[in-house]
Amino acid sequence: MASQMLEMEERPQPRAMLTEDLFDALFAGCTHEHYRAGHHLFMQDDIAERVYGVIEGAVEIALYSEGGRKLVANLETEKCVFGEIATLDGGTRTATATCLTDATLVSLSRRQLFDRIEQHPKLATTMIGLLCARLRYISAELGDQALLKIEARLAKRLSFLSGLIKDEGGWIHISQSDLAEFLGATRESVNKTLTDLRKSKLIDVKRGAIKILNDRGLERIGAASGD
């Protein structure tokens, strides 16, 4: 049942991705909504009104401190669902959602979401699975932040991004500042670590992009403990 509900790897991932049949059941009949890159779908602490699904494109989910410091929590791509936490409990948004690329989305109001759950009980189990996926990912991220050095955290993040947004040439188009926001680290520490990884011939770096040259080597660093 769990493997049919969510396409998740053994290690919790930042995305809550539904199988195609459940995604279609949840958003059946919804109009496709088209947004340009940079469009804010909702802001942290907004009152929740809708839950979203991604048809095409990528949406950035980010947290902001009161002082304006930004931490990118995850990226949502095709068949991913986001915005469900506050929509389900009626509270405020826990993060800000921004279209990282031009995106095509579908969405449901809170009332529509509950109506569909009542009509299709299997969706209730699906939503529980989504929430569990979020919790497992947050727990894993807290462990990484506390126990892993930046080398391991950066290696794991690059491996994840490579599978998600690399181009046909294998390049991950992301700035060092954006990568630092993904890690909750400084740009300087990210720059130093990238330089070390390049010297070890694990990655190549050019302006605004990174390419993995040795997947296994990077995975070994990502699996290393902080000891």
Side-chain angles (χ1 to χ4, degrees):
M1 172 70 79
S3 61
Q4 295 174 348
M5 283 169 29
L6 291 170
E7 296 175 357
M8 297 175 58
E9 299 177 12
E10 291 182 5
R11 203 275 189 187
Q13 294 297 312
R15 301 174 297 154
M17 183 185 296
L18 295 184
T19 56
E20 186 171 356
D21 59 333
L22 288 173
F23 186 93
D24 291 343
L26 182 60
F27 294 105
C30 293
T31 302
H32 285 197
E33 306 166 18
H34 303 283
Y35 298 97
R36 304 292 290 179
H39 178 79
H40 293 296
L41 296 163
F42 53 78
M43 304 292 288
Q44 187 172 320
D45 296 325
D46 279 353
I47 298 298
E49 297 176 352
R50 308 189 73 79
V51 59
Y52 294 85
V54 182
I55 300 295
E56 186 177 23
V59 176
E60 175 191 271
I61 308 298
L63 306 173
Y64 290 85
S65 69
E66 291 186 1
R69 186 177 177 185
K70 177 182 176 183
L71 173 65
V72 177
N74 48 38
L75 293 179
E76 307 291 2
T77 56
E78 185 179 352
K79 294 297 184 290
C80 288
V81 176
F82 63 95
E84 76 284 349
I85 294 176
T87 305
L88 283 169
D89 71 9
T92 57
R93 297 293 189 187
T94 58
T96 294
T98 306
C99 294
L100 189 65
T101 65
D102 291 350
T104 300
L105 310 177
V106 284
S107 67
L108 293 170
S109 68
R110 189 166 189 258
R111 182 66 266 160
Q112 290 173 316
L113 175 61
F114 281 109
D115 285 345
R116 296 201 177 194
I117 289 174
E118 289 179 3
Q119 294 166 10
H120 305 284
K122 189 176 181 180
L123 289 177
T125 309
T126 299
M127 297 312 294
I128 293 171
L130 286 174
L131 294 174
C132 289
R134 300 287 188 210
L135 182 58
R136 287 180 181 277
Y137 173 68
I138 291 171
S139 296
E141 282 293 289
L142 288 173
D144 285 356
Q145 288 284 346
L147 302 174
L148 298 184
K149 296 179 180 178
I150 187 172
E151 291 88 348
R153 292 193 285 123
L154 179 56
K156 292 173 74 170
R157 188 63 70 182
L158 287 176
S159 294
F160 167 71
L161 290 173
S162 179
L164 187 64
I165 60 173
K166 70 180 178 183
D167 64 17
E168 292 181 356
W171 289 96
I172 306 164
H173 293 274
I174 187 170
S175 70
Q176 292 186 20
S177 295
D178 288 341
L179 196 52
E181 289 174 348
F182 256 106
L183 296 170
T186 65
R187 185 186 182 283
E188 291 75 17
S189 62
V190 168
N191 178 270
K192 180 182 182 302
T193 305
L194 289 174
T195 299
D196 291 341
L197 293 175
R198 181 170 59 180
K199 288 179 178 178
S200 299
K201 301 187 183 304
L202 295 173
I203 64 170
D204 193 8
V205 179
K206 65 180 182 180
R207 186 175 181 84
I210 302 163
K211 182 178 183 179
I212 296 176
L213 302 178
N214 186 335
D215 291 288
R216 290 186 178 276
L218 207 63
E219 288 172 1
R220 283 195 293 270
I221 291 177
S225 70
D227 297 336

